[in-house]
Structure formats: structure tokens, C-alpha cells
Amino acid sequence: MKLQRKNRLRALSLGAIAVSGALALTACGSDDTSKGGDSSSAPAAKAGSIKCDDAKGQLLANGSSAQANAIQAWVKAYTAECKDVQINYKPEGSGAGVTAFTQGQVAFAGSDSALKPEEVAASKKVCTGGQGIDLPMVGGPIAVGYNVPGVDNLVLNAKTLAEIFDGKISTWDDAAIAKLNPKAKLPKTKIQAFHRSDESGTTDNFTKYLKAASPADWKYEGGKAWQAKGGQSAQGSSGLAQQVKQTAGAISYFELSYAKDGIKTVDLDTGASAPVKATVENATKAISEAKTVGTGKDLALELNYATKADGAYPITLVTYEIVCDKGNKADTFKATKSFLTYIASQDGQDSLAALGYAPIPAEINAKVRETVASLS
């Protein structure tokens, strides 16, 4: 596919993203990124800020749909400079991405959850002399969107959210919700709680928040698959956002970029001095409290979902790019390292906020750049 001077974007009905030129992003039954952020609003890469380093060929990647809009913008900027590289990213979800990586089908994967020990073990079969590692590249808030007629501002806390999504609070005029919203005229409308039908890192991070911030009310183990009984389900973040938009009484969770298009979002009572809004800035503040828990070159993070810091929005996710620390495939290594170097750069990270994502805090990102430089 030859690169055209003027790239044009179009969103496919099943959530695929395609950019004519050296980029093709394709989704199969995943999130519809056409409802998310607009990559055309991202700052253009500065001339000379992208180093191609003789990279050429095709990179195949798969994984997190949460980062699809970021990848789209990055690939557009990168391939405009590195015309001999084609990048094909399929946002089929974190689970699909990790599987594709451990089976040797892709050069790198995106996942909203760090590799599990068994996944690291599986990666050693495809990383010659090395293993898969987690590189945090994209952050962002998981918004809780709602559709309650007549209610323009809504405050909830971890306890009420846990009870709502566990079916223990069933109407919007429940006393627990009313206590948090004394000025709101809450209707008797039945609550319609929607969760992901597919395995999702967004679900994993949302339920980690419930478990950390209200352990007495959320007894489930957690993970990419939804475990609580009851409620309704939909495919992908776009499916959840669509259900909230069209269903009176609905509530669900999805990346902030899907909450544009008129969907209202919950402010969280975290115990801070004031309820916290789901914004990029507030998510970045929460992510800055994360601790690096990976060993060696692995930079997996432990987020503080129970933070009570003023202005810190705790329902966040970090998307990792998963790559081999050693033993990357020779035919795609130069392109992989060159692309990862760009997206971890200041220019690459600076483009995120315009798309509704949170740049990785500087101290963590410095470690990411150092690790990318050492890949082999």
C-alpha cells in the first residue's frame, strides 16, 4: 500500500479504523473507535523527531481497543516520516493481543493488564533468549457514564457503584444515592447496569477499583471477564456507550473518549475534599502514584485504586505495549524499536491529551525510554 501525501481517516461499522497510506487498522468484533477521540486533533510530529533508523517492512500488532485512537494517531505521524514501514494494528482486545503475541503472530501487543506469570512463561517460546515485558505507554480514565433523565450531575462512590453493579441497588432514587446527591431530583427509574460481554482490560481495571476501594461490597475475584451476576452486557466500549445513550436509567463504564457525544459521567466521591471528575488531568495525577512492580526490564505498574488524594481520579487504566526484551524477530525488529521509540518520546506522549488519553508520568516514561533503547 503506497503512502499518499494526504492521509484520510474513515471508521468502519464494526469498529475498524483504516488510514489510507501506509496504515491500515482493522478490528474484528471489537470496540468502535469511530466514537472515540479524533486523531486529526493531535499535534503533528515535529520534523526530525521521528528516527526511522532504516526501518522497513510490515509490523503486525493486536490488542487493547482502549488505545486504538492513540495508535491511529501515532501510526499516521510515524508512517508519514518512515515511508518504508507499514503498521497493521487490530484492536481486538487485550486478551486477543496477548494470545497473538505469545503465539508469535505479532511484533508487539497492547494490553490494559500486565502479563500474568503463565503468559510470561509462554512468551519465552517466541522471544529467543528473552521474554515478554510490559511497557506502559497510554494512560486514561475509565468514565462511568449514565443516563438518568433530569439528572445532569451525579456523584457516586465505590460502595454505591459496587452495589449498583452487583444488583443490590436497583432504582435511582435509592437512599444511598440520594445521600450523595441531596440537591438532585432522582427518579424512581429502574437502574440498567451494563457490563462488557467480551474479555476486557477495561473490566479488569474497573473491578480492581471496586475491590480496592470497597472490598466489603465487591466480593468477586476480578479479571478481564465480568463475574457479577445480573445486569446486561454489550460488546466493546462502543457497545456499552451506545446502550447508555439509548437506554433511560442506564449506567456503564468505558474509556473517557467514548463518553463524548452527549453522555454524562459520574463524579467520584473518593474521600477527598471534593468529588473528582473523570478527566485526563485527574487520571494522570492518579497514575503518578503508581509503583513499578515488574522485575528486570518489565515495567508493570501497581495503580493505587483507593487513592483519596485531591484531584486524583482512581478508575484509571494503563495500556502496555508488550514486546520481547531480547529475541525480537529480526525482520521486524528495527521497525518495532523505531516505532516504540517515537511513541515513548515527548512528541508521542504530548499527542495523547488531545485524544482524551493521559500521558504516562515523566518519571515512569523515562524508564520506558531507557528500556526501549535496550531492546534487542
Side-chain angles (χ1 to χ4, degrees):
M1 194 166 17
K2 296 181 178 180
L3 180 71
Q4 298 176 353
R5 288 178 178 268
K6 294 182 179 180
N7 288 308
R8 57 187 178 83
L9 306 178
R10 63 186 179 89
L12 301 179
S13 61
L14 289 180
I17 307 167
V19 180
S20 62
L23 160 65
L25 292 175
T26 341
C28 300
S30 186
D31 290 0
D32 181 357
T33 55
S34 67
K35 298 297 182 184
D38 177 9
S39 67
S40 64
S41 65
K46 297 177 183 177
S49 67
I50 296 175
K51 305 297 182 183
C52 302
D53 294 329
D54 299 320
K56 60 183 61 178
Q58 183 182 58
L59 281 186
L60 298 180
N62 195 328
S64 166
S65 55
Q67 70 166 355
N69 289 323
I71 290 285
Q72 178 181 358
W74 281 334
V75 171
K76 181 180 179 182
Y78 177 82
T79 54
E81 294 293 324
C82 304
K83 296 176 171 60
D84 292 327
V85 179
Q86 179 181 341
I87 301 176
N88 227 312
Y89 181 82
K90 293 184 177 181
E92 293 183 321
S94 299
V98 172
T99 297
F101 179 75
T102 57
Q103 292 181 350
Q105 299 171 357
V106 294
F108 69 91
S111 176
D112 305 325
S113 300
L115 291 169
K116 297 177 181 178
E118 60 269 25
E119 293 168 341
V120 172
S123 73
K124 294 180 180 180
K125 298 178 182 178
V126 296
C127 300
T128 305
Q131 66 178 50
I133 57 173
D134 301 287
L135 301 176
M137 287 289 189
V138 184
I142 299 173
V144 179
Y146 70 95
N147 180 348
V148 183
V151 180
D152 293 328
N153 297 288
L154 183 68
V155 176
L156 296 175
N157 57 17
K159 179 178 176 62
T160 52
L161 281 171
E163 293 184 339
I164 284 170
F165 281 92
D166 201 20
K168 294 176 181 176
I169 292 179
S170 58
T171 60
W172 281 109
D173 64 346
D174 187 274
I177 299 176
K179 185 177 181 180
L180 292 168
N181 299 273
K183 296 181 180 180
K185 294 182 179 179
L186 298 168
K188 295 182 179 180
T189 307
K190 181 181 178 181
I191 294 176
Q192 307 283 350
F194 287 88
H195 57 265
R196 288 278 287 263
S197 60
D198 53 321
E199 290 198 1
S200 162
T202 310
T203 292
D204 189 17
N205 285 277
F206 178 63
T207 55
K208 281 179 178 176
Y209 160 73
L210 296 178
K211 189 173 183 179
S214 192
D217 303 291
W218 193 257
K219 301 292 188 179
Y220 303 97
E221 183 179 346
K224 294 186 179 75
W226 186 261
Q227 295 175 341
K229 307 299 180 183
Q232 302 177 65
S233 64
Q235 174 86 19
S237 289
S238 62
L240 294 181
Q242 183 61 30
Q243 290 296 334
V244 169
K245 186 177 180 181
Q246 68 187 19
T247 308
I251 186 170
S252 191
Y253 57 92
F254 32 75
E255 294 75 35
L256 182 61
S257 60
Y258 293 93
K260 294 179 176 181
D261 206 18
I263 295 176
K264 300 179 182 68
T265 61
V266 168
D267 294 347
L268 290 180
D269 180 347
T270 63
S273 62
V276 186
K277 294 184 178 298
T279 68
V280 168
E281 295 77 15
N282 292 346
T284 298
K285 185 168 184 177
I287 294 171
S288 69
E289 295 186 21
K291 297 179 181 179
T292 302
V293 294
T295 58
K297 294 182 179 180
D298 187 89
L299 298 178
L301 301 176
E302 182 177 87
L303 298 173
N304 182 9
Y305 296 99
T307 181
K308 295 182 180 180
D310 285 347
Y313 184 82
I315 316 180
T316 59
L317 62 74
V318 169
T319 296
Y320 302 95
E321 309 311 331
I322 296 171
V323 67
C324 297
D325 59 352
K326 297 178 182 178
N328 288 280
K329 296 179 181 179
D331 58 338
T332 57
F333 175 62
K334 283 188 176 182
T336 299
K337 187 172 183 177
S338 172
F339 180 64
L340 293 179
T341 298
Y342 162 59
I343 68 178
S345 72
Q346 192 65 52
D347 285 342
Q349 290 292 302
D350 283 349
S351 69
L352 291 175
L355 302 172
Y357 295 103
I360 298 300
E363 183 178 345
I364 298 172
N365 184 245
K367 296 178 182 178
V368 173
R369 295 182 196 177
E370 181 181 336
T371 302
V372 171
S374 72
L375 298 177
S376 62

